[in-house]
Amino acid sequence: MRLPSPTREFPASSLLLNYRPVLGGRIVLPRIGRPVAEMILKASPAASRPEPGQPVVLDLEYGPEFCMSVLSVLEDQGLWRLRLVGGTGGLSRNVEAKHYGRVRAAEVIEDLLAEVGERVGNVESSVVLPNWFRQEGLAYQALEALMVNLNKTWRMDNKGLVWVGEETWPVYAEKVPLAEYYVHQAKVRLEGLQPCLTPGVELFAHGLGFDGKVGRVERVIHHFGLESYTEALCW
C-alpha cells in the first residue's frame, strides 16, 4: 500500500499515535477481519522507537481511539514507517489442533481468542456444536473456518473486541458529502474525514449532482496527511 508523501513541518494533526503526531498514513477497516494501518512518524532520538508486538493507541480527533499492535517498523531518512494491526496481533499466531465435543460455538470462539490474547465482544450465536475439530494453523484461519460452519460474520472493532453475528445493515447516522464518486469501482471519496464511519452500514450521500443511497459499506479507509479524508467501498 503506497502512502502519501508526508511533510515533516505539517503533521496530520487529526491523528496521534501514543500521543505523538502522525505525519501521514491510513487506517483500513474491513467488514470482515481486523483493522490494519500504515503510519509515518518523525524519528526522534528523544523518543523510543516503536517495536513489533508493542501495543499502540491511534487517537482520531473528534473520533474513536483504535487499540492496535505494531507489526513492523522501518526507519527511512529520519522517518519511522509503521504497519499496525487491530488488537494484540494474536490472531496471526499459530494454534494447535484441538477437539471439542458437544460445545457452544460461543465457547469455542472465546477459548480461541483467550488462547492468543485477544478479547471477545458480542457473540450472537446460541448454536451448540455436537462435534468440532479445530485444525492446527493461524488463529484467524481457525476463526474463519468456524464462521463458515455457522454462516456468521466476524470483525474486530476499534477497541480490539471481536464481534460475531449477522449483518443488519443499519443506516449510517448522517448523509455524507461527496467529493468524488467512482461509480464503476463502487467507491466514494467523502469531503473530509468521517471518523465514525464503519463497515456494515448503509450509506447515503449528497453532492456532485447526486443525492441518495450509495450502498452497503464493505470497507472504510481513513487517509491522513496534508489532506485528510475518508473513502468507502460499497455494494
Side-chain angles (χ1 to χ4, degrees):
M1 200 181 287
R2 187 176 180 182
L3 290 175
S5 299
T7 301
R8 301 183 192 188
E9 292 80 9
F10 300 97
S13 59
S14 55
L15 182 64
L16 299 175
L17 187 148
N18 285 2
Y19 304 106
R20 298 190 58 202
V22 172
L23 298 178
R26 67 190 71 184
I27 304 173
V28 180
L29 310 177
R31 186 175 65 85
I32 300 173
R34 299 174 288 176
V36 294
E38 295 188 0
M39 296 289 145
I40 300 175
L41 281 71
K42 184 177 181 180
S44 170
S48 58
R49 190 179 90 161
E51 297 297 336
Q54 177 182 335
V56 296
V57 175
L58 286 174
D59 185 7
L60 277 68
E61 187 177 14
Y62 308 117
E65 291 184 344
F66 285 82
C67 299
M68 308 189 82
S69 179
V70 178
L71 281 179
S72 65
V73 183
L74 174 65
E75 189 162 348
D76 177 31
Q77 298 181 348
L79 301 172
W80 289 332
R81 299 178 180 270
L82 282 66
R83 293 178 60 238
L84 312 173
V85 67
T88 66
L91 285 171
S92 297
R93 299 176 192 166
N94 282 303
V95 292
E96 296 180 352
K98 190 170 185 178
H99 176 257
Y100 298 86
R102 188 160 182 80
V103 63
R104 293 184 303 111
E107 188 175 332
V108 177
I109 295 167
E110 292 163 3
D111 186 50
L112 172 67
L113 295 176
E115 189 173 328
V116 297
E118 297 286 12
R119 296 186 297 156
V120 65
N122 190 22
V123 177
E124 300 170 3
S125 175
S126 58
V127 171
V128 175
L129 300 168
N131 193 52
W132 182 254
F133 182 76
R134 186 183 79 190
Q135 294 188 346
E136 179 182 359
L138 295 173
Y140 77 84
Q141 293 175 333
L143 181 58
E144 288 177 350
L146 183 56
M147 294 302 100
V148 171
N149 181 274
L150 297 174
N151 194 26
K152 298 285 187 180
T153 298
W154 78 277
R155 65 175 162 268
M156 181 180 285
D157 68 11
N158 61 292
K159 297 178 182 179
L161 300 176
V162 174
W163 166 83
V164 172
E166 297 180 7
E167 301 288 7
T168 58
W169 302 107
V171 175
Y172 185 55
E174 61 181 288
K175 185 182 289 186
V176 297
L178 290 177
E180 299 284 349
Y181 192 175
Y182 309 97
V183 178
H184 298 297
Q185 300 177 42
K187 180 173 74 173
V188 293
R189 173 176 168 175
L190 308 180
E191 288 280 3
L193 283 171
Q194 288 287 329
C196 295
L197 180 61
T198 63
V201 298
E202 283 193 334
L203 187 66
F204 287 74
H206 63 91
L208 307 175
F210 177 87
D211 190 341
K213 179 179 173 180
V214 176
R216 293 178 167 181
V217 179
E218 184 72 20
R219 182 178 297 258
V220 173
I221 307 172
H222 299 304
H223 298 263
F224 302 90
L226 292 180
E227 184 181 8
S228 297
Y229 59 92
T230 296
E231 286 183 324
L233 279 69
C234 305
W235 56 274

